[in-house]
């Protein structure tokens, strides 16, 4: 995995005030809730992936899917006539604008975050489900509601590499 080519804009501004020796970890240490934020963010970067009705889904709870999560997925299964890949695509969709009320002001940073999530999730899914192939999409085009990332199962073919779709 490669590091982003630049710091997010807010971090560059913070470093201008505090000095170039300060790093992203220094930024976390400067905030009274920095550690709490990092601990909570682990569900974003390292979610629990669970199998449900033949699909693989990102779970935001330590114990997997709850009744509400299963109900939402069941509704998608009905809507897509049982097409697991389409349900996974919708069920795993993360709209980054939804993470914060101020997120839409930082689209470039969110696209960078979406690409980082795609790489992290790809590694985790490959480790946890080595016999399955997944397609990953990072979206931020005219047809999307801000930066988004999702994944879904793809048919396994020996002669086909996993697909990564970037729409920016």
């Amino acid at each position: 995995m490669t590091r982003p080519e630049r710091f997010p804009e807010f971090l560059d501004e913070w470093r201008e005030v505090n000095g170039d020796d300060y790093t992203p970890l220094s930024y976390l240490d400067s905030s009274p809730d920095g550690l709490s934020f990092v601990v909570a963010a682990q569900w974003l970067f390292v979610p629990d992936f669970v199998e449900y009705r033949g699909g693989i889904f990102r779970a935001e709870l330590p114990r997997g899917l709850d009744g509400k999560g299963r109900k939402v997925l069941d509704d998608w299964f009905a809507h897509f006539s049982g097409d697991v890949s389409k349900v996974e695509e919708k069920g795993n969709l993360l709209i980054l604008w939804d993470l914060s009320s101020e997120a839409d002001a930082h689209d470039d940073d969110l696209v960078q975050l979406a690409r980082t999530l795609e790489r992290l999730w790809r590694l985790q899914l490959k480790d946890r489900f080595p016999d399955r192939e997944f397609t990953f999409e990072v979206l931020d085009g005219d047809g999307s509601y801000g930066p988004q990332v999702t994944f879904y199962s793809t048919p396994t073919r020996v002669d086909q590499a996993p697909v990564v779709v970037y729409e920016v």
Side-chain angles (χ1 to χ4, degrees):
M1 177 175 12
T2 59
R3 292 220 180 263
E5 295 179 15
R6 62 174 183 76
F7 285 131
E9 184 178 329
F10 76 90
L11 192 55
D12 277 337
E13 292 169 358
W14 181 80
R15 291 179 75 229
E16 283 178 20
V17 171
N18 292 286
D20 288 340
D21 292 339
Y22 285 86
T23 68
L25 297 182
S26 305
Y27 180 83
L28 290 173
D29 186 45
S30 72
S31 172
D33 61 349
L35 180 60
S36 299
F37 170 79
V38 171
V39 171
Q42 70 183 319
W43 272 270
L44 177 64
F45 296 105
V46 187
D48 188 18
F49 295 105
V50 298
E51 191 163 359
Y52 181 68
R53 294 184 61 177
I56 305 301
F57 298 95
R58 180 179 56 84
E60 296 180 5
L61 299 171
R63 62 189 177 280
L65 295 172
D66 62 1
K68 180 182 175 186
R70 285 189 298 276
K71 167 79 169 92
V72 168
L73 292 175
D74 289 340
D75 290 347
W76 282 118
F77 273 106
H79 178 77
F80 289 119
S81 303
D83 185 322
V84 173
S85 292
K86 287 182 181 179
V87 176
E88 286 174 324
E89 182 179 1
K90 287 294 186 185
N92 291 315
L93 181 67
L94 178 64
I95 300 169
L96 297 176
W97 279 356
D98 291 346
L99 295 177
S100 171
S101 59
E102 63 186 51
D104 60 343
H106 305 283
D107 271 3
D108 290 342
D109 295 337
L110 292 177
V111 170
Q112 181 175 307
L113 175 60
R115 289 189 175 142
T116 298
L117 291 171
E118 178 266 321
R119 289 189 308 265
L120 290 169
W121 293 356
R122 175 185 301 281
L123 292 169
Q124 294 167 65
L125 287 163
K126 184 173 182 69
D127 181 58
R128 180 107 185 266
F129 304 98
D131 296 334
R132 292 182 82 142
E133 287 196 36
F134 297 94
T135 297
F136 294 82
E137 294 185 1
V138 174
L139 306 167
D140 187 34
D142 292 335
S144 69
Y145 176 68
Q148 303 172 29
V149 61
T150 191
F151 67 90
Y152 49 92
S153 297
T154 51
T156 303
R157 283 184 34 201
V158 176
D159 62 336
Q160 179 182 5
V163 176
V164 178
V165 177
Y166 291 104
E167 179 188 300
V168 180

